[in-house]
Amino acid sequence: MITLQSSDKDVFEIEQSILIQSGTIKNMVEDDFTFIPLPSVDTETLIKIIEYMKKHADKTDSKEKNIKEFDKDFMKKTLNELFALVFAANYLHISSLLELLYPSIADRIKDKITEAIRQIFSIRCDFTPEEERRIIMDNKWAHEGTEIEGTLD
Amino acid sequence: MEGSSDATCGDRISKLPEPILHHILSFLHAKHAARMSTLSKVWDSAWNSLPYLDFGEIFWWSKDLNVVMDQTLASRKKHKISMQRFSLWLSYYACLSYDDRWIKILIACNIKELNLRVETHYYRGNFLYGSLPVAIFAAKSLNVLSLHGFNIELPADDGTINLSSLRELHLSFVFLDEQFIKAMCTSCCNLEHLSLQYFNGLTSFQVGGTLPKLKMINLVNLEPPDSLLQLVDIVAINLKNLSISNKFYGNINVVRITACKALKNLYLNCVDITDNWLEELFYSLKNLEKFDLICCKALKIMKITSERLKQLRVVDCHNLIAVELDTPNLIKFHCFNEKFKVFLG
C-alpha cells in the first residue's frame, strides 16, 4: 500500500498496482517511497484521479465497454475541474487520462467567439493595441465564418 | 452558469506547458486554433508553433486562402517546427488543385501524418479524380498517409517512391495501377496497415513477401462494372488481419493467401470461393481464429478442420447444403441463409 498526501494534507492509502498507472508515482515507488506528498494536487482533484485509476486498473476485455461509459461520464465536469485534472494528470504522467482530457477541453472551446473564451478562461490580454491590431489582421481569415457562439460554459 | 473568474487561480489554462496547449489545439479546426492567437502572447505563440494543422472541409475557399496557406506553412518552416499532422479536404468546386509547393514545405518540416482529400465526381459514366502532387512520393518522414479521390500516378522520371517510414496507408476512391502497388511493396518496408477502399484501375492485387511488418490489409472493391479486380495474391508472413469485400458479386476469381501463415482473422464478402479452396485454406493456415464468409455463391459443402478456430460466421451463402466441422475450440458459430439458421454461442 502506498500513501498519497494532497496539498490540503489529506492522506489516501491505495494499492501500488492501481497507482503505477501514474508514471511519476511508479518512479517513486521504484525508488522505494511509500509515502508520496503531492503538493500541487488538491484533495478534490486527487479523489477524482484515484477514482479514474481504480476504474482503469482492471483492463480485461469484458470491462472495456464499462470503462468507455465511465470515461464519458467522467468528462462531464466543469471547465475548472477539467483544468485541475489536466494539471494533475500532466504532473502525475497519466497519459490515458490526458488523452481523454484534450478533446474534452477542445470541445468546449470549439465554436465559441474569442470574447467568450477570454472570459471563461480568465485570459488577460497582454498585447499593446498595435500588436493586437496586427494579430487580428494576420488572422482575419480565422475570424470569418458562420458558427458563432457566445455562451460562457 | 460557469464561474468565469476564480480569484485564486485566474488564468490557469495558459500556465499549462506549450505541448499540452498544442495537444488541446490539435483537436480544433485550424480556423478555431488560429482564433486563439488574439487572446494573449502565450496563445499567439501556441498557434504559431502548432504542429497540427487540420483544415478539414473547405467550402469557403478563395484566392485569399491560398495566401493564408502559404503564410501558415512558411512561418512553420521558418521556425523549424516539426510538423505532426496536416489535413486538407477540398470540395470539387474549390477550383484549386493541390499545390506541390505546400507538400514540399511539409516534407521539409518532417511531416508525420498527411490526410488529403478531394471530392470525386461521377460524370458520364466515369469517376473524375484529382491529380496528386508527385512531391508526396518523397515524404520520407511520413508515418501515416490518407488519400481520397486521387489518381495515383508515379513520378514520370524514374517511377520510384521513397516512403520508407510509412506505417499506415489509407487509400479511398482512388485510381491506381499495378505499378504503384509494386513501387509501394519495394519502398514501404515499414508498412503495417494497408487499406484500399473503392479503388479502380487494378486488375490484380499482388503483395510479394517484401513487406515483413504488414499486419492488416483491408480491400473494398467498387461495384461492377467499375471494379476490374480479378486476382488477389498475397505473401505476407506477419499478416494477422485480412478483409476482402466486394459490394456486389464482383469478378474476383483467384485468391491466393495460403502463404500468410500468421493469419488470425479473415473476412470475405462476395468472394466466390469453392469447397476445395476452403478446405485447403484451413489446411495451410493453422492460426486462423476468426472467419467470416458473407455472400459466397459457389460454396456447397463446407468442410473445416482447425485446432485454433474460435469464431465462424457464414451468412447468405445460399447454395450451402452441408457443413462439416472438426473444430474442437470453436466457441461461436453463426450460420444463416435463405434455407436454414444455426446460432451456437
Side-chain angles (χ1 to χ4, degrees):
Chain A
M1 295 292 266
I2 305 289
T3 307
L4 300 178
Q5 187 189 61
S6 72
S7 57
D8 306 308
K9 304 285 187 255
D10 289 311
V11 289
F12 301 85
E13 262 200 2
I14 315 284
E15 284 104 12
Q16 183 175 316
S17 56
I18 293 177
L19 294 180
I20 51 170
Q21 290 173 74
S22 152
T24 309
I25 295 180
K26 183 164 181 258
N27 286 335
M28 295 190 80
V29 162
E30 278 165 5
D31 288 337
D32 292 327
F33 283 92
T34 50
F35 177 82
I36 300 178
L38 302 170
S40 43
V41 187
D42 62 45
T43 299
E44 205 186 299
T45 307
L46 187 54
I47 290 175
K48 295 189 188 99
I49 298 266
I50 291 171
E51 185 194 350
Y52 177 86
M53 287 200 283
K54 277 189 174 156
K55 191 73 186 184
H56 280 252
D58 182 9
K59 281 213 153 107
T60 50
D61 278 339
S62 55
K63 295 265 160 83
E64 213 181 295
K65 198 172 168 195
N66 213 305
I67 290 180
K68 278 206 170 100
E69 287 293 319
F70 168 85
D71 284 350
K72 224 167 120 181
D73 281 332
F74 193 71
M75 287 297 117
K76 290 179 185 158
K77 296 191 174 359
T78 66
L79 263 177
N80 271 322
E81 286 175 307
L82 292 181
F83 292 156
L85 281 170
V86 166
F87 272 104
N90 179 47
Y91 172 70
L92 292 169
H93 285 100
I94 308 175
S95 45
S96 66
L97 179 54
L98 284 171
E99 300 293 322
L100 266 187
L101 287 163
Y102 298 144
S104 302
I105 295 176
D107 238 13
R108 309 274 180 115
I109 311 178
K110 206 161 49 170
D111 296 313
K112 303 213 187 294
I113 54 174
T114 322
E115 271 321 301
I117 300 178
R118 189 187 287 292
Q119 276 200 58
I120 297 170
F121 293 176
S122 316
I123 299 177
R124 197 180 61 82
C125 178
D126 54 358
F127 294 123
T128 65
E130 201 184 284
E131 281 171 335
E132 195 175 0
R133 260 197 302 275
R134 182 188 54 79
I135 289 185
I136 291 178
M137 268 313 290
D138 283 350
N139 293 303
K140 203 164 79 130
W141 62 279
H143 294 272
E144 289 157 8
T146 51
E147 354 74 299
I148 300 288
E149 214 216 85
T151 58
L152 293 180
D153 56 25
Chain B
M1 172 102 116
E2 181 78 45
S4 57
S5 60
D6 188 329
T8 52
C9 307
D11 172 12
R12 299 190 69 170
I13 192 172
S14 305
K15 295 195 179 70
L16 289 169
E18 194 167 72
I20 292 201
L21 298 183
H22 282 168
H23 277 118
I24 294 173
L25 291 178
S26 76
F27 287 92
L28 298 179
H29 190 288
K31 208 167 123 178
H32 296 138
R35 276 186 205 165
M36 303 289 284
S37 60
T38 49
L39 288 171
S40 71
K41 290 184 178 163
V42 163
W43 286 98
D44 186 37
S45 165
W47 158 247
N48 282 310
S49 57
L50 187 62
Y52 304 94
L53 288 176
D54 180 2
F55 283 91
E57 203 144 7
I58 306 244
F59 295 112
W60 36 275
W61 199 263
S62 67
K63 246 193 309 190
D64 295 331
L65 249 55
N66 212 346
V67 173
V68 165
M69 200 61 88
D70 280 343
Q71 283 175 350
T72 311
L73 291 176
S75 130
R76 275 153 185 76
K77 184 177 176 194
K78 180 169 161 205
H79 295 104
K80 296 195 176 19
I81 306 292
S82 189
M83 286 298 295
Q84 293 299 312
R85 187 176 72 226
F86 181 83
S87 304
L88 181 56
W89 291 10
L90 290 180
S91 70
Y92 182 76
Y93 300 102
C95 299
L96 188 88
S97 60
Y98 278 92
D99 212 312
D100 224 42
R101 198 168 70 231
W102 298 341
I103 306 292
K104 288 188 171 134
I105 296 179
L106 288 168
I107 292 176
C109 294
N110 288 318
I111 182 83
K112 298 260 172 348
E113 182 179 338
L114 197 52
N115 303 312
L116 298 180
R117 182 183 171 124
V118 66
E119 289 310 309
T120 49
H121 283 262
Y122 210 66
Y123 180 71
R124 291 193 180 175
N126 285 308
F127 276 112
L128 296 179
Y129 296 96
S131 75
L132 189 66
V134 287
I136 258 184
F137 295 119
K140 55 183 177 8
S141 58
L142 212 53
N143 292 141
V144 178
L145 177 60
S146 290
L147 298 172
H148 176 113
F150 290 97
N151 180 8
I152 307 207
E153 248 180 271
L154 291 177
D157 44 8
D158 59 354
T160 55
I161 60 180
N162 185 358
L163 294 170
S164 49
S165 306
L166 201 64
R167 289 199 307 260
E168 291 182 34
L169 180 59
H170 305 272
L171 303 174
S172 52
F173 284 100
V174 293
F175 191 95
L176 74 173
D177 61 14
E178 281 77 1
Q179 221 195 347
F180 171 74
I181 299 288
K182 212 164 160 188
M184 180 199 79
C185 284
T186 309
S187 152
C188 306
C189 47
N190 284 303
L191 197 65
E192 291 173 24
H193 186 159
L194 174 63
S195 169
L196 273 182
Q197 299 193 50
Y198 306 110
F199 56 95
N200 204 346
L202 275 183
T203 53
S204 68
F205 175 77
Q206 296 185 70
V207 169
T210 56
L211 300 175
K213 295 195 183 173
L214 195 54
K215 291 204 198 78
M216 190 190 296
I217 296 180
N218 181 18
L219 297 177
V220 181
N221 218 353
L222 279 172
E223 278 176 39
D226 297 302
S227 82
L228 304 169
L229 192 67
Q230 292 175 326
L231 175 115
V232 171
D233 188 329
I234 303 172
V235 174
I237 50 168
N238 284 310
L239 192 68
K240 293 226 162 47
N241 294 298
L242 174 61
S243 169
I244 305 176
S245 301
N246 286 304
K247 279 297 146 185
F248 197 70
Y249 292 112
N251 312 314
I252 300 179
N253 44 38
V254 181
V255 178
R256 292 192 202 117
I257 54 174
T258 51
C260 303
K261 302 289 183 199
L263 201 63
K264 267 171 92 166
N265 301 315
L266 178 62
Y267 176 96
L268 298 175
N269 190 332
C270 286
V271 179
D272 271 338
I273 59 170
T274 61
D275 302 352
N276 282 336
W277 186 95
L278 191 59
E279 216 181 325
E280 206 197 292
L281 181 82
F282 279 93
Y283 181 76
S284 307
L285 301 182
K286 306 264 190 235
N287 289 306
L288 266 177
E289 288 184 11
K290 190 165 181 276
F291 181 47
D292 290 74
L293 185 66
I294 322 286
C295 288
C296 173
K297 279 185 301 196
L299 209 61
K300 297 199 180 65
I301 300 176
M302 173 180 260
K303 256 167 105 169
I304 297 178
T305 304
S306 168
E307 282 289 318
R308 297 253 174 111
L309 194 66
K310 292 203 183 97
Q311 292 186 49
L312 177 62
R313 213 164 64 103
V314 183
V315 177
D316 289 345
C317 298
H318 297 303
N319 293 315
L320 190 65
I321 50 172
V323 176
E324 268 180 55
L325 301 176
D326 180 2
T327 48
N329 287 306
L330 195 68
I331 18 179
K332 191 161 145 181
F333 175 41
H334 291 179
C335 179
F336 53 96
N337 55 32
E338 288 167 341
K339 302 188 183 107
F340 59 87
K341 289 185 181 39
V342 177
F343 284 93
L344 292 173

